Amino acid sequence: MSSPSLSPPRDLRSESTELGDVHIGAAPERGRRRGSLARRAAAVLPGLILPVTILVVWQIASETGRISPILFPSPTTILDAFADLAGAGTLWEHTSTTVMRVVAGLLIGGGLALLFGALVGMLRTAEQVVNPTAQMVRMVPHLAMTSLFVLWFGIGETSKVLLIAKGVFFPIYVATFLGFRDTDAKLIQVARVLEFSRFDIFRKVLIPGSLGHLFYGLRLSVGIAWGAVVVAEMISSSSGLGYLMIDARSFNDTPVVFVGILTFAILGIASDLALRAIERRTLRWSDRRAT
């Protein structure tokens, strides 16, 4: 009678090794993530030292009466005013109005700047005709044009949006013009040898080659747009963050003025961070990326 066949014993040591490999492989991955977070924290923390110190000193000076609470309300008082305005919906209403004006001004001014910048960058004749006038208008102070815009277009939305558009036009125009001119001439020559059409050269060579300049000009324009909308809303408006600040100033409500400043700071930082993230993603292949 033959003995029944027995299955070979399980190689527990081998199985243990395989499981161990999984854990060993996962540990470095977690280590890399922690290292990445640590590096990001190390990069951010030095930039927080100065503002945090200013806020602490400001708060202490306010509580001890070293500074006037009317001129410089404490940070906690400003945060309370921020919370009250946000809870009542007033802050969001004025903020949305301001954001819509900035977006409209960027679309109009940025679109025209791209058009004229591309023409001047591609055509010498356009540069000779357009660029001298554009540079002359660029030197006119922005505030000097405010009264004219109100006279020409009234006190409605048109004058506000066009004032923003005028402010954002020139950084994008100059960046587009320089971006096209700084594109590697060898790439253009290769494209001509390959019998690319002018549109293909524009789309496949000039646009990618000038993206670094374009993003830089756009980031400058966004900063100018936030400043321009403040001026527009303070001069003639019944809504928006600029109006909220000028109205609060007339009633000596300084915390609300600081709430407007804080909101503009948040909007400006958020928009710049968003543009930098888009730039990094778009220009992965290039060394001209946001820093």
Side-chain angles (χ1 to χ4, degrees):
M1 184 175 178
S2 60
S3 60
S5 60
L6 298 177
S7 59
R10 296 171 63 188
D11 191 346
L12 297 178
R13 184 174 60 185
S14 176
E15 183 176 345
S16 169
T17 303
E18 292 176 359
L19 292 175
D21 289 341
V22 173
H23 291 294
I24 291 172
E29 180 65 25
R30 288 196 298 269
R32 283 193 293 270
R33 291 178 182 176
R34 290 173 184 170
S36 177
L37 291 175
R39 286 193 297 271
R40 291 180 183 177
V44 171
L45 286 177
L48 295 177
I49 294 175
L50 181 59
V52 170
T53 302
I54 292 174
L55 289 175
V56 171
V57 173
W58 185 357
Q59 182 68 33
I60 294 173
S62 297
E63 292 179 352
T64 57
R66 300 273 182 181
I67 57 177
S68 170
I70 297 177
L71 298 178
F72 293 96
S74 66
T76 54
T77 303
I78 296 170
L79 289 178
D80 289 340
F82 187 96
D84 291 340
L85 289 172
T90 305
L91 182 61
W92 310 124
E93 179 182 350
H94 288 293
T95 300
S96 61
T97 301
T98 295
V99 170
M100 291 300 295
R101 288 168 178 160
V102 168
V103 171
L106 280 170
L107 290 175
I108 295 173
L112 291 174
L114 286 173
L115 174 62
F116 283 99
L119 287 175
V120 171
M122 294 177 64
L123 304 174
R124 292 288 181 182
T125 303
E127 179 184 1
Q128 295 171 355
V129 173
V130 175
N131 196 52
T133 303
Q135 296 299 334
M136 180 182 67
V137 176
R138 185 172 69 91
M139 296 302 172
V140 178
H142 198 64
L143 290 175
M145 300 293 294
T146 305
S147 300
L148 282 178
F149 273 59
V150 172
L151 288 173
W152 291 343
F153 307 107
I155 60 174
E157 291 298 309
T158 303
S159 60
K160 299 177 183 60
V161 172
L162 291 181
L163 191 65
I164 297 168
K166 186 263 179 186
V168 305
F169 176 89
F170 292 103
I172 299 178
Y173 165 79
V174 173
T176 305
F177 166 58
L178 294 178
F180 276 39
R181 287 295 170 87
D182 287 348
T183 301
D184 193 346
K186 295 179 180 178
L187 295 177
I188 300 176
Q189 292 174 0
V190 170
R192 287 173 177 168
V193 169
L194 296 175
E195 298 184 350
F196 280 22
S197 64
R198 283 196 172 186
F199 179 75
D200 286 335
I201 294 176
F202 172 80
R203 182 171 60 91
K204 297 180 180 180
V205 179
L206 293 176
I207 289 293
S210 61
L211 281 178
H213 290 80
L214 292 178
F215 274 108
Y216 180 72
L218 183 57
R219 288 175 61 188
L220 289 177
S221 293
V222 169
I224 292 174
W226 293 120
V229 74
V230 174
V231 174
E233 291 177 346
M234 281 185 169
I235 290 176
S236 59
S237 183
S238 59
S239 61
L241 290 173
Y243 166 77
L244 180 68
M245 294 169 63
I246 202 71
D247 184 63
R249 189 192 68 178
S250 63
F251 291 100
N252 289 328
D253 195 354
T254 314
V256 175
V257 177
F258 276 96
V259 168
I261 295 172
L262 176 63
T263 306
F264 272 115
I266 293 172
L267 291 172
I269 293 172
S271 57
D272 189 66
L273 288 175
L275 286 173
R276 289 171 64 184
I278 295 171
E279 181 180 359
R280 291 193 197 98
R281 191 175 185 85
T282 305
L283 298 179
R284 287 178 178 176
W285 51 271
S286 174
D287 58 351
R288 294 184 178 181
R289 290 179 293 179
T291 57

